[in-house]
Amino acid sequence: MYKFRSATDRIELMHQLVRDRVIPVDTERVAALTKSHKKNAKVPPIIKTALATYDICSEMTCRVEDFEIIVGNIGKEFLGSGMWPEWDASWLWQELEEMKLWELWDDGLYHRTDPSGVHMSMSREEINSFMSFRDFWKDNTVTSYMDSWAPEGFEEVAGLGILEMGSKMRTPIHTGHLVAGYEKIINTGYHTIRKQAQDWIDAHKGNLMGNDVDKHMFYKSAVIICDAAINMIKHYGQACFDKANLCKDECRKAELMKMGNGLMWISENPARNFWEACQATIMYQILLYQEARHPALAFGRFDQYTWPFLEADLKSGSITMDEAQEIVDAFFLKSNCFYRASNPKIAAYTGVGVTYHHTTIGGVNRDTGEDATNPVTYMILETVGRLKLHDPTISLRINKNTPDKLWDCAIETTRLVGGLPLFQNDEVIIPSLVKELEFELRDARDYGIIGCQEIVGCGNDYPAGNGLHGKAGLGSHGNVLMTALNNGVNPSNGKKGGLQTGYLYDMKTFDDVKSAYKTQFDYLHKWSVTIQNYVENLSTFYAPSAALSISIEGCMESGKDCTVGGAKYNSYGGTATGLATVSDSLAAIKYMVFDKKLCTAKELYDAVMANWNGYEVLQQQVLSLVPHYGNDDPYADELMAWVTDIYYENCCECYSKRSKYYKAGLYGAAQHVVQGSVTIATPDGRNTGQPLADATSPGQGRDKNGPISVFKSICCFDHGRYMDGLALNLRIHPSALSTEEAKISLRDMTKAYFENQGMEVQYNVVSSDTMRAAQKDPKSYKDLVVRIAGYSAYFNELPTTMQNDVISRTEMNSL
Amino acid sequence: MWLMSENIKGRVYDIQGYSVHDGPGIRTTVFLMGCPLTCLWCHSPESQNYDFQLSWFDMRCIGTVKCGLCINVCPNSALYEREPEKSLIDNSTITKINIDRSKCDNCLACTKVCPANALVPSGYDISLEDVFKRIIKDKKYYGKDGGVTISGGEPMEQFEFTYAIAKRCKESNLTVCVDTTGFAPGENYEKILPYVDLFLFDLKHMDPKRSRNFVGVDNELILENAKLIAKNGGKLQIRIPTIPKLNASMENMMKTADFCKDLGDAVTMIQLLPYHNMGTTKYLRIGLNYKLVNVDPPSDEEMQSYLDLMLSYDLPAQIH
């Protein structure tokens, strides 16, 4: 059995601080940004954005804490956060004006402890300062441009309340779901990248023809951003020297000097050792966050791009494995310090207290296709397991030669830390990337996972998973179905705007029902992509990303920003969560009305519209008689396959100016809970307001035949088509992992699922009893981590609705 | 020749996929009804009786205001409303039912109308073909070690059915385990042996009198059958439910170890199963009282001492 070891004292100290975090919000970034934008008001956005990043990086506070071996901060304080008003900060201005959610504590700070978001604090001075910038940004944000005009027909369809962006065009989340080119940054250095850009500029001075003007602006933005990085990293180096000068402990003093020297070196040059590779990755991450509030910058295959450095260090004897482990611990704790204050309403969707530094480990070597497990692979699991870190999400890539020892380590990790790692199947994903998205084999073998679940190329792809901006997909599929059965009126809110597809009680055959759903779905899904396409047009102009483009393969070569198609691979996509609610509802209609004739269509329609009030017996019949998805019953599974098929086929018809691929995805962060809360009862027996099914998982509590039946059900459709990712959440009772043999059985079952073309699975190993106890006595369960859907979280930090959702899932037992 | 019909039926109370505690690897376990033993700690009391009983799942009942169908169909007036209570699900007020077990004759009429599966029969009849279909469905997941386990109750009580399942599975190249109390005619063990890869064989007490007190039958036949299986080349995984105050003593464990030693190579593993009281709610479902209320699970140290003892006899043993 894999055993986790204890961490060093300073790591434990940092862990405590991260664990009990309060995020101090400050205006340092806002002040520098606003000043810069005022100064450069009429400069083209691509240059203006780069100049602002340069100014922010020049003026930011560079911190070095006593306990740190990896430095870097995105706010003024340790754990602090700046704000990103250039996209949208209206929520915070509004909150601070009303002051309902912020209360003054004894420490003299205003605290926001509402469970919808993480615990944040602000001083009076910071609040005043922040308020002073309100007027400038009011009509100057990217989202305000989005809101000011919309394509024809938008208002009507938005009024339905099904599209996820609500009644306005704005997408509240900035673009930036991808794996940046960390490998390039640490192996090339900013000096060389800058030189490449400057060389082009020098060669074309006074001779800009055709597209050269665009290219010139792009390369200029690259030069500015490299200067920003060099500048900032040197400041960190100097901060280490300053700290060293004051340090009395000779040992720590030497360490700080070494860190300072290392930072000075990597500010321009490629990393020379393991520590520099890790520190350079963090520095680059900070550069990216000072540029924009990228929501999901994943670290990609960290074990692959750092191992060559560690291997060389170990050979030369300059580091021990324990020292390297401490660096990995510090790296991931540091990544936990980068929580970017955000609209709590969005946080409820996308993850409370989650930084989205999804990290991919294991998998195959991109050149040989052989298993690529290395010591860093284990170190990352060791960090997650011993510190019980719920963030970042770790995806473990499984191939047919994944070592048993790594399986053992991963299953031990999942037993302790709910849902981590996610198990991803190379044998399905790699060939599918080649087939569906025309990846070269070498790049397909090098894939990573971002966000919740999205599959992307590493450092060569602008994948815009989950849409160009998050929260831009189609909303509740439960409402799509109900609108289809209610002649184009969304019964959850009574709003018109869908196609007139008739009423359930007028439909003569089950094929009529399916056809109504397909028609409505096709219409609304195309609309959701239309809006994404329109928004992409706007945001690429107003929010380019030089900081990303300097590292992503294709951009520097083509002289094009990644947001306008400079990357080697381009795609975008969306996700559908809770399709099991739709397919189970269709199964209920088919079974109850058409096949067994246990009730009429009118009765079922009336029952659902009444939220089953007065129809409780019928509801129970639906729950106990109708076959449900997740039980290896073809009656239900065929409908799930049909629902996923029509979704995939619709996605294949969508594309944008930048990308010819719109990818289908079957996962969610926690949308199923939020969408369920605005969805009327559904024919599958679900009540109004209850969560939809999550991702591709069976409806909560509907799967009654054990995990193998779930695996067999989910393989009723072709996973390889869902290149935006797919998730299956299974909850396992701890007793099913109580012996070594049982753990091996979990491994073997997962292997068998993968051999049968399953793409992904994630396990929560926690009993309902434990979660109920944690609800009653949160303090005693501080470290309890569960996976809600697209992210893991401390159970106690989840809103009660989400806690109850995890409890309501079937607990796979084996007693 | 002893024959059986292809459409033979048996009586089960559950078929569980992904069983990882009933024999090696990933298995499907078929739980048959009926048992000649009455172990005080039995954690599946609904399996003791071969005849169907009325089972009650309190949490599922949606109350007499919304439903109440069961009260109307009961021919014996055994069902009646209880006092209204607070629902554990949504805090609303709900009026559930009580079952007067002295009036209930297990006619099961109520189970046919209960829409919520709150009232259900304790088991069901199923044909060999349907059992086999359920087992073979998961074949790709069994790997080289896994397969089917026929358990109970006491599966040898429905010998024809158990034999038929074992034979059918063996012929389809599945590994077969039979989880038995050992209390069945020896000749039946001899008959089924060619189709069984491993017997999960309970040894609950070595003392005849105590055996009678705790499990309701003498242990002589049980011990004879263990020897018989060993003699005929069968494999045994000895399972010892370890119950404080009843059989958890050094003396009993030493006798068990001596006995196992004599069985020789037939014993592939001795599993010490620490007592747990998670089956108690099952008693309430069928209207019985749990008798071992004053027994706590054994401590880890106590379990370890028994394990050390087994290992000192050079026996393959583990705590499970």
Side-chain angles (χ1 to χ4, degrees):
Chain A
M1 185 185 96
Y2 190 89
K3 280 227 186 309
F4 294 101
R5 291 162 291 139
S6 54
T8 61
D9 287 348
R10 58 184 176 184
I11 290 297
E12 276 305 334
L13 170 64
M14 188 166 172
H15 177 221
Q16 286 309 313
L17 293 170
V18 168
R19 172 68 193 83
D20 300 328
R21 70 191 159 178
V22 177
I23 311 288
V25 179
D26 70 75
T27 52
E28 194 173 75
R29 181 180 183 278
V30 184
L33 173 86
T34 311
K35 197 167 75 182
S36 183
H37 270 243
K38 281 182 179 165
K39 189 171 65 187
N40 304 311
K42 305 292 179 192
V43 176
I46 187 168
I47 302 294
K48 184 160 60 175
T49 307
L51 286 171
T53 309
Y54 181 88
D55 288 342
I56 295 165
C57 287
S58 303
E59 291 171 34
M60 67 181 282
T61 305
C62 294
R63 302 180 63 92
V64 179
E65 314 297 337
D66 290 336
F67 47 80
E68 284 187 327
I69 49 172
I70 297 278
V71 299
N73 49 290
I74 60 166
K76 206 160 70 179
E77 310 286 336
F78 177 67
L79 285 167
S81 169
M83 281 299 298
W84 290 261
E86 67 273 36
W87 193 269
D88 178 27
S90 53
W91 66 274
L92 186 56
W93 273 305
Q94 212 169 331
E95 277 193 17
L96 293 175
E97 191 175 62
E98 291 168 2
M99 268 309 188
K100 270 185 212 148
L101 292 166
W102 294 76
E103 37 175 78
L104 185 61
W105 282 21
D106 290 344
D107 59 5
L109 299 174
Y110 289 83
H111 287 254
R112 188 192 194 286
T113 56
D114 187 82
S116 59
V118 292
H119 185 164
M120 294 184 274
S121 72
M122 278 183 97
S123 70
R124 187 72 249 177
E125 293 72 38
E126 292 290 356
I127 291 175
N128 291 345
S129 161
F130 187 63
M131 295 311 279
S132 73
F133 299 113
R134 188 179 192 175
D135 283 346
F136 177 80
W137 289 107
K138 201 169 159 227
D139 300 316
N140 239 338
T141 61
V142 180
T143 47
S144 66
Y145 290 113
M146 292 174 184
D147 283 346
S148 51
W149 186 86
E152 203 160 310
F154 171 73
E155 271 175 41
E156 193 187 355
V157 76
L160 256 186
I162 293 180
L163 302 176
E164 229 169 331
M165 57 284 293
S167 59
K168 288 189 172 168
M169 179 60 90
R170 69 173 53 193
T171 62
I173 300 178
H174 191 279
T175 183
H177 278 65
L178 70 163
V179 176
Y182 304 99
E183 188 177 354
K184 177 179 173 183
I185 293 291
I186 61 180
N187 287 298
T188 308
Y190 297 102
H191 174 79
T192 303
I193 298 171
R194 187 191 188 287
K195 184 169 180 304
Q196 189 188 351
Q198 191 60 47
D199 285 351
W200 191 96
I201 293 170
D202 292 345
H204 293 78
K205 203 172 277 176
N207 187 20
L208 300 176
M209 302 300 151
N211 287 336
D212 287 350
V213 178
D214 286 338
K215 284 191 181 184
H216 177 83
M217 288 196 285
F218 169 75
Y219 283 119
K220 188 65 197 172
S221 73
V223 168
I224 299 166
I225 220 75
C226 287
D227 286 341
I230 292 165
N231 216 354
M232 175 186 77
I233 300 171
K234 285 195 196 307
H235 283 170
Y236 274 108
Q238 188 57 48
C240 288
F241 293 146
D242 294 347
K243 193 106 184 163
N245 286 336
L246 299 170
C247 184
K248 301 229 164 57
D249 178 344
E250 284 307 315
C251 202
R252 174 66 176 162
K253 191 185 190 95
E255 188 176 58
L256 284 163
M257 288 304 292
K258 199 175 160 196
M259 287 161 64
N261 287 326
L263 281 156
M264 287 301 181
W265 175 262
I266 57 171
S267 69
E268 298 193 46
N269 304 300
R272 297 168 296 191
N273 54 45
F274 183 63
W275 179 84
E276 287 182 0
C278 294
Q279 181 65 74
T281 303
I282 289 290
M283 283 292 124
Y284 182 47
Q285 197 76 349
I286 294 171
L287 175 75
L288 291 163
Y289 288 142
Q290 298 305 3
E291 180 194 62
R293 195 191 174 281
H294 301 288
L297 294 177
F299 285 129
R301 303 182 76 188
F302 181 83
D303 60 344
Q304 301 304 309
Y305 61 78
T306 60
W307 168 239
F309 293 95
L310 180 56
E311 192 179 23
D313 288 358
L314 289 167
K315 247 181 217 155
S316 72
S318 61
I319 198 171
T320 66
M321 285 293 276
D322 283 348
E323 285 163 352
Q325 181 67 56
E326 192 186 33
I327 292 172
V328 174
D329 288 346
F331 179 92
F332 285 102
L333 282 172
K334 179 49 80 182
S335 91
N336 263 275
C337 298
F338 297 162
Y339 185 77
R340 286 88 67 210
S342 72
N343 187 343
K345 268 191 198 144
I346 311 300
Y349 258 77
T350 57
V352 177
V354 179
T355 60
Y356 280 108
H357 298 124
H358 204 133
T359 301
T360 307
I361 60 174
V364 296
N365 181 295
R366 62 189 167 198
D367 294 312
T368 64
E370 300 293 318
D371 178 69
T373 307
N374 66 48
V376 182
T377 318
Y378 290 94
M379 286 179 173
I380 293 170
L381 290 175
E382 173 78 23
T383 294
V384 171
R386 73 182 181 181
L387 299 178
K388 293 204 176 76
L389 277 189
H390 69 81
D391 190 43
T393 295
I394 307 294
S395 269
L396 172 59
R397 286 177 41 176
I398 298 294
N399 66 86
K400 57 182 188 301
N401 295 319
T402 299
D404 284 349
K405 191 181 153 202
L406 183 59
W407 272 104
D408 179 32
C409 178
I411 287 173
E412 202 49 29
T413 307
T414 209
R415 209 166 65 78
L416 293 172
V417 190
L420 300 182
L422 323 187
F423 295 90
Q424 309 279 357
N425 187 3
D426 276 8
E427 316 291 345
V428 170
I429 294 173
I430 292 170
S432 300
L433 280 167
V434 173
K435 183 174 161 229
E436 296 280 328
L437 303 179
E438 295 183 88
F439 267 52
E440 290 168 18
L441 181 59
R442 183 176 188 272
D443 293 331
R445 283 173 174 163
D446 208 26
Y447 79 89
I449 306 285
I450 64 164
C452 306
Q453 199 58 253
E454 301 90 303
I455 302 159
V456 303
C458 284
N460 50 24
D461 191 6
Y462 197 72
N466 199 7
L468 184 71
H469 309 283
K471 199 176 171 288
L474 187 50
S476 162
H477 288 72
N479 274 335
V480 176
L481 173 70
M482 292 312 294
T483 304
L485 303 179
N486 195 41
N487 200 31
V489 175
N490 180 1
S492 301
N493 58 15
K495 300 278 174 60
K496 287 182 200 158
L499 294 179
Q500 296 185 354
T501 41
Y503 293 95
L504 174 61
Y505 47 81
D506 290 331
M507 296 173 190
K508 297 279 180 288
T509 65
F510 184 61
D511 280 343
D512 292 346
V513 178
K514 281 165 80 176
S515 156
Y517 173 71
K518 182 177 178 345
T519 305
Q520 200 69 254
F521 172 82
D522 284 344
Y523 173 72
L524 291 171
H525 190 259
K526 284 266 171 78
W527 249 116
S528 89
V529 179
T530 297
I531 293 162
Q532 291 186 55
N533 289 348
Y534 172 68
V535 163
E536 181 174 55
N537 260 10
L538 279 184
S539 66
T540 51
F541 180 71
Y542 290 111
S545 181
L548 281 171
S549 300
I550 57 169
S551 79
I552 293 175
E553 186 181 347
C555 299
M556 289 298 290
E557 292 83 345
S558 64
K560 257 168 113 172
D561 194 274
C562 61
T563 60
V564 290
K568 181 174 184 183
Y569 298 105
N570 281 285
S571 60
Y572 67 142
T575 184
T577 193
L579 290 185
T581 301
V582 174
S583 75
D584 280 352
S585 293
L586 291 171
I589 295 169
K590 182 170 190 256
Y591 188 92
M592 300 295 291
V593 177
F594 295 102
D595 287 357
K596 302 285 173 182
K597 299 189 170 52
L598 295 170
C599 68
T600 65
K602 186 75 171 76
E603 279 167 331
L604 189 56
Y605 175 90
D606 289 344
V608 173
M609 293 300 164
N611 187 21
W612 303 101
N613 283 319
Y615 297 88
E616 285 84 359
V617 171
L618 182 59
Q619 180 182 22
Q620 292 303 322
Q621 285 174 335
V622 166
L623 290 172
S624 55
L625 297 176
V626 177
H628 289 107
Y629 164 70
N631 295 290
D632 193 16
D633 184 334
Y635 190 95
D637 294 350
E638 278 166 14
L639 287 165
M640 182 66 172
W642 180 78
V643 170
T644 52
D645 277 352
I646 65 162
Y647 167 51
Y648 169 77
E649 285 157 13
N650 189 296
C651 289
C652 290
E653 294 170 7
C654 300
Y655 55 95
S656 80
K657 204 162 76 174
R658 178 184 58 85
S659 159
K660 67 175 180 171
Y661 297 110
Y662 186 91
K663 299 167 292 188
L666 294 170
Y667 61 90
Q671 284 98 321
H672 66 290
V673 178
V674 185
Q675 293 175 353
S677 71
V678 295
T679 303
I680 193 172
T682 38
D684 61 337
R686 184 189 140 276
N687 279 107
T688 299
Q690 282 184 349
L692 307 177
D694 84 77
T696 57
S697 312
Q700 294 81 346
R702 307 291 173 97
D703 45 331
K704 296 186 187 302
N705 284 335
I708 293 173
S709 293
V710 176
F711 283 138
K712 291 187 71 191
S713 275
I714 192 183
C715 289
C716 71
F717 58 88
D718 178 358
H719 294 194
R721 290 171 155 195
Y722 298 90
M723 280 295 102
D724 211 32
L726 170 155
L728 171 63
N729 271 295
L730 276 188
R731 188 150 77 81
I732 305 280
H733 191 278
S735 66
L737 283 176
S738 59
T739 63
E740 284 310 299
E741 291 88 343
K743 285 180 206 161
I744 289 169
S745 291
L746 186 74
R747 177 197 76 195
D748 289 347
M749 175 171 66
T750 313
K751 277 187 183 176
Y753 164 55
F754 282 178
E755 277 161 19
N756 288 291
Q757 303 302 300
M759 194 157 92
E760 196 267 1
V761 65
Q762 50 206 38
Y763 298 108
N764 267 316
V765 184
V766 59
S767 70
S768 301
D769 291 345
T770 300
M771 289 188 281
R772 288 203 192 93
Q775 284 184 320
K776 286 197 184 104
D777 179 17
K779 285 214 174 78
S780 304
Y781 293 87
K782 273 169 78 167
D783 284 329
L784 178 61
V785 173
V786 298
R787 192 157 187 87
I788 169 79
Y791 61 94
S792 297
Y794 290 121
F795 184 76
N796 296 331
E797 285 189 358
L798 286 173
T800 316
T801 49
M802 291 185 193
Q803 292 179 346
N804 289 341
D805 178 63
V806 181
I807 295 173
S808 73
R809 293 177 199 163
T810 302
E811 173 178 83
M812 298 296 177
N813 216 321
S814 67
L815 281 171
Chain B
M1 170 87 191
W2 188 78
L3 273 178
M4 63 192 177
S5 122
E6 269 302 303
N7 46 21
I8 179 175
K9 281 197 165 195
R11 183 161 285 190
V12 307
Y13 72 92
D14 197 11
I15 300 177
Q16 190 188 55
Y18 193 63
S19 278
V20 293
H21 296 309
D22 297 312
I26 296 168
R27 320 190 69 81
T28 296
T29 303
V30 184
F31 293 96
L32 272 59
M33 292 185 71
C35 186
L37 273 61
T38 51
C39 305
L40 294 173
W41 59 85
C42 179
H43 58 72
S44 51
E46 73 276 35
S47 74
Q48 290 185 2
N49 220 326
Y50 177 80
D51 294 324
F52 295 135
Q53 298 169 81
L54 178 59
S55 276
W56 166 245
F57 289 80
D58 194 85
M59 282 291 284
R60 298 178 186 168
C61 178
I62 60 170
T64 56
V65 176
K66 294 171 179 170
C67 179
L69 296 170
C70 53
I71 295 179
N72 296 332
V73 299
C74 181
N76 304 315
S77 306
L79 306 177
Y80 60 96
E81 287 186 325
R82 15 171 152 144
E83 288 299 307
E85 63 201 271
K86 241 188 184 174
S87 160
L88 292 172
I89 298 164
D90 58 6
N91 270 335
S92 63
T93 304
I94 182 167
T95 306
K96 295 188 181 181
I97 58 152
N98 273 341
I99 305 165
D100 184 342
R101 293 279 176 179
S102 68
K103 289 184 182 168
C104 174
D105 63 0
N106 289 310
C107 75
L108 305 177
C110 54
T111 65
K112 297 186 178 73
V113 297
C114 176
N117 285 340
L119 290 158
V120 289
S122 54
Y124 54 95
D125 289 330
I126 185 168
S127 69
L128 172 63
E129 262 328 288
D130 285 346
V131 161
F132 182 70
K133 265 189 219 158
R134 174 68 188 87
I135 294 165
I136 206 74
K137 255 167 95 149
D138 291 355
K139 188 177 182 184
K140 283 180 176 170
Y141 284 79
Y142 294 147
K144 63 177 186 0
D145 296 330
V148 62
T149 296
I150 312 168
S151 181
E154 170 49 63
M156 301 295 278
E157 284 280 289
Q158 296 184 48
F159 181 66
E160 268 191 66
F161 192 52
T162 297
Y163 179 88
I165 299 171
K167 185 165 183 287
R168 184 86 168 80
C169 290
K170 200 72 229 158
E171 285 166 357
S172 300
N173 293 319
L174 295 175
T175 74
V176 176
C177 293
V178 169
D179 183 2
T180 180
T181 62
F183 195 81
E187 62 192 69
N188 286 349
Y189 287 104
E190 286 180 287
K191 273 183 201 153
I192 203 171
L193 209 137
Y195 306 111
V196 177
D197 297 273
L198 181 67
F199 288 92
L200 312 178
F201 198 100
D202 291 0
L203 282 183
K204 288 157 180 167
H205 218 298
M206 299 307 290
D207 180 89
K209 189 175 161 222
R210 291 200 176 143
S211 176
R212 260 194 309 279
N213 288 345
F214 300 151
V215 308
V217 299
D218 223 316
N219 65 357
E220 193 187 338
L221 178 61
I222 297 170
L223 301 181
E224 283 309 313
N225 280 331
K227 289 185 213 157
L228 183 72
I229 291 168
K231 194 185 88 188
N232 285 300
K235 294 288 174 201
L236 293 160
Q237 181 184 97
I238 302 295
R239 310 230 278 182
I240 310 173
T242 308
I243 327 286
K245 300 183 188 175
L246 302 195
N247 69 350
S249 69
M250 272 299 173
E251 188 199 351
N252 185 46
M253 291 295 169
M254 278 162 76
K255 282 186 182 161
T256 310
D258 283 332
F259 181 76
C260 290
K261 203 70 198 163
D262 288 345
L263 295 172
D265 291 343
V267 176
T268 60
M269 180 58 70
I270 296 173
Q271 285 192 338
L272 295 158
L273 312 172
Y275 165 75
H276 64 78
N277 47 20
M278 284 182 268
T280 50
T281 53
K282 290 185 166 186
Y283 283 79
L284 299 176
R285 281 180 202 158
I286 52 171
L288 295 177
N289 288 322
Y290 188 56
K291 299 183 195 84
L292 280 192
V293 279
N294 291 323
V295 176
D296 292 324
S299 67
D300 291 349
E301 294 75 32
E302 187 179 353
M303 290 307 296
Q304 188 62 43
S305 68
Y306 301 139
L307 177 64
D308 291 343
L309 176 83
M310 293 296 166
L311 295 175
S312 75
Y313 275 75
D314 208 17
L315 287 161
Q318 61 182 200
I319 299 168
H320 194 82

